[in-house]
Amino acid sequence: LLNLEGNAEGALRIFEELSEDTENDILDYEKAIIFCRNGDPGRCEQLLIKAIGLNPGNPLCHLGLVQLYTDIDRVPEALQVLERMISSDLIPEQAMLMQGDLYTLLQDESNAVESYSRLLTSPQFAGEAAERIVPLLVRQGRTKEAAFLAKKFAKGCC
């Protein structure tokens, strides 16, 4: 509650006290977020890696690491984390969408198209993937494919 109320220092103190008795991925994640907000990406990274070591199945810790690496311009490392998430079946569809976004950020349209294309059969992510892939296909001169996807996944009616 202290953290939610903006008292990061008080929250960190309590998280540290709780961590003295037991190692816990959630506590490490929460501390990592505080260190990140306070401008200490190195300590944030250490805590997120530790949290993943404690509980490799916690997707929040992986996503935190992806966000950290993206924010500090270590996008190739963020992509590696996403690839591990996909291969470990840890929210793979969300990881593929983020992977496509990062490839787009890097202007690697081929890999972005590949990442988004893998989601076109996903009931949950197909629409978002199609929205992102259509402009890439148009830029690549693949207008027929882009038009097909735009029509197939168009929102609304008529």
Side-chain angles (χ1 to χ4, degrees), residues 45 48-49 51-53 55-56 58-70 72 74-96 98-100 102-103 118:
E45 179 182 18
L48 288 171
I49 290 171
I52 291 168
N55 182 2
N58 184 337
L60 198 55
C61 297
H62 292 271
L63 291 175
L65 196 56
V66 168
Q67 187 63 53
L68 173 68
Y69 286 155
T70 302
I72 61 174
R74 290 169 54 187
V75 176
E77 289 170 87
L79 286 166
Q80 289 173 355
V81 174
L82 290 169
E83 194 56 49
R84 284 193 302 269
M85 290 175 69
I86 294 165
S87 66
S88 298
D89 201 32
L90 190 61
I91 58 170
E93 291 177 329
Q94 186 173 348
M96 282 181 229
M98 293 174 75
Q99 185 182 54
L102 290 181
Y103 281 128
R118 295 177 3 190

Side-chain angles (χ1 to χ4, degrees), residues 82-141:
L82 290 169
E83 194 56 49
R84 284 193 302 269
M85 290 175 69
I86 294 165
S87 66
S88 298
D89 201 32
L90 190 61
I91 58 170
E93 291 177 329
Q94 186 173 348
M96 282 181 229
L97 191 66
M98 293 174 75
Q99 185 182 54
D101 292 346
L102 290 181
Y103 281 128
T104 300
L105 179 72
L106 293 173
Q107 299 179 344
D108 183 347
E109 291 183 2
S110 296
N111 279 319
V113 167
E114 182 181 325
S115 294
Y116 294 139
S117 294
R118 295 177 3 190
L119 293 167
L120 293 175
T121 58
S122 165
Q124 185 178 0
F125 291 95
E128 282 183 80
E131 286 177 20
R132 288 172 165 95
I133 199 173
V134 166
L136 297 174
L137 292 173
V138 169
R139 279 199 296 275
Q140 292 179 349

